[in-house]
Amino acid sequence: MKTKTPRPFPSTELQLKNFGQRLREARLRRGISTILFCERMDVSRDTLNRLEKGDASISIGRYLRALRILGMDKDFDLVAANDVIGQRLQDAKLLIRTPRGRKKKQAHNEKDANLKSSPD
């Protein structure tokens, strides 16, 4: 049974559209025809057309394969490499002091332990 891909947010649609356009431009700059690109990607021309339009139903694996064929797969490693928001949230948690219960003082050696346990 084929599942329907939920429609992405409008900003995400725009990002995908722009990404597909950049892939198309990269393919054209390299002089790779749609037929050759489809053969290398092992997809139909319809799938390539949807990919270059930024269709959200195209799997991330297909996009990565396109980047690999274009020699741009290292660019994908930069996605989410610098998690500024996550680092700020982590740092904020470090600044919050949580009260701890008092710890019992532990004896450093056996002699100190015996002194504490023996009644005076």
Side-chain angles (χ1 to χ4, degrees):
M1 184 174 162
K2 205 172 190 181
T3 59
K4 187 175 180 180
T5 305
R7 187 165 185 223
F9 296 114
S11 61
T12 305
E13 281 183 332
L14 182 61
Q15 284 178 308
L16 284 169
K17 181 182 173 188
N18 292 336
F19 181 56
Q21 182 64 34
R22 288 192 302 272
L23 288 176
R24 181 178 188 280
E25 291 168 358
R27 177 183 60 78
L28 292 173
R29 278 193 295 270
R30 287 160 178 73
I32 302 173
S33 69
T34 55
I35 296 170
L36 180 60
F37 202 60
C38 288
E39 288 175 2
R40 290 181 180 177
M41 283 189 61
D42 194 28
V43 296
S44 67
R45 288 181 77 182
D46 178 55
T47 302
L48 176 60
N49 186 33
R50 290 184 8 233
L51 181 133
E52 290 182 346
K53 286 184 177 181
D55 189 338
S57 67
I58 303 291
S59 71
I60 191 75
R62 294 285 183 205
Y63 281 107
L64 283 172
R65 189 168 182 89
L67 287 169
R68 177 73 182 250
I69 292 166
L70 295 169
M72 301 168 64
D73 54 321
K74 296 296 181 197
D75 293 349
F76 190 77
D77 293 337
L78 301 176
V79 175
N82 190 10
D83 184 11
V84 175
I85 294 172
Q87 289 173 349
R88 286 183 183 165
L89 289 170
Q90 185 179 23
D91 292 346
K93 286 179 185 176
L94 294 175
L95 296 176
I96 299 172
R97 291 190 66 182
T98 55
R100 297 181 186 170
R102 284 192 166 180
K103 292 182 180 178
K104 292 183 180 180
K105 205 171 191 181
Q106 294 180 344
H108 292 288
N109 58 36
E110 193 175 311
K111 185 178 177 184
D112 290 341
N114 290 337
L115 289 175
K116 287 184 180 181
S117 62
S118 65
D120 287 323

